[in-house]
Amino acid sequence: MLSNNAVVVYFSRTGENYSVGEIEVGNTAKVAQVIASRIGAPTVEIVPVEPYPNVYDEAVAQATQERSAGARPAFTLVAGDGADNPAAMLDSAETIYLGYPIWRSDMPMPVYTFLESRDWSGKTIAPFCTHEGSGLADTVASIRRVVVGATVLDGMELRGAVAQNDVDATVRAVDGWLG
């Protein structure tokens, strides 16, 4: 699965989170950082233009409303480690490791906006998610429907509480997935 030309792209949320309380680094961001360190790839974060509320129940209400409406919230891409031009990083990458939390058995709507905004022809996408019981849900199939021309690999799922609180278990899960 490794590619010498890869980038780790992820959406993650801080603030009050289910089962882990108030956090400063999102669950999915923690997994993305482990993947990036294991494969030596840069990271790019999908950041919604309108941030989600810090309070968990308010964030859930907003996410539920967006999903019901089929919303496609605007986003920006932020490259990690001070790199610039994340769009160019994506254009040149052969493999994109795509991370997201599972919200109400689906990807957050900004991830759909991101996926629908690019040409994925010839790319390989390796999805990974954090969740608290849903696993990957049907997100791999959803990604396959959206990214025409790309190869979508089987995904990795990890409970958010594990990603947030158990670095060793997160590294083992990532290493097992990466092979």
Side-chain angles (χ1 to χ4, degrees):
M1 183 183 310
L2 295 177
S3 169
N4 58 2
N5 190 3
V7 63
V8 180
V9 180
Y10 68 94
F11 174 92
S12 198
R13 187 183 153 278
T14 58
E16 183 184 24
N17 269 244
Y18 183 79
S19 89
V20 295
E22 189 78 23
I23 58 174
E24 293 183 21
V25 178
N27 302 331
T28 307
K30 287 191 171 215
V31 178
Q33 291 165 356
V34 170
I35 293 169
S37 71
R38 299 312 255 189
I39 65 172
T43 61
V44 173
E45 184 175 5
I46 302 166
V47 179
V49 171
E50 282 293 319
Y52 286 89
N54 192 51
V55 176
Y56 177 75
D57 288 339
E58 293 173 13
V60 168
Q62 180 177 333
T64 301
Q65 185 278 330
E66 288 175 352
R67 183 173 176 204
S68 295
R72 293 299 186 257
F75 68 91
T76 58
L77 295 175
V78 178
D81 296 325
D84 58 358
N85 204 348
M89 293 165 60
L90 287 165
D91 289 343
S92 65
E94 296 169 7
T95 303
I96 290 83
Y97 292 83
L98 177 66
Y100 47 87
I102 297 294
W103 287 1
R104 316 235 0 123
S105 299
D106 203 353
M107 295 180 288
M109 294 300 104
V111 177
Y112 282 100
T113 310
F114 166 72
L115 289 171
E116 292 167 356
S117 73
R118 304 196 62 77
D119 177 6
W120 297 102
S121 300
K123 305 283 187 185
T124 298
I125 298 177
F128 64 96
C129 77
T130 56
H131 66 92
E132 287 306 330
S134 303
L136 283 157
D138 289 327
T139 59
V140 174
S142 295
I143 293 167
R144 286 183 176 131
R145 280 192 296 275
V146 173
V147 295
V148 177
T151 300
V152 180
L153 304 177
D154 291 337
M156 179 191 77
E157 53 86 14
L158 187 66
R159 286 190 178 264
V162 172
Q164 192 61 227
N165 299 312
D166 192 338
V167 174
D168 291 339
T170 301
V171 168
R172 283 192 306 274
V174 167
D175 286 349
W177 181 55
L178 294 175

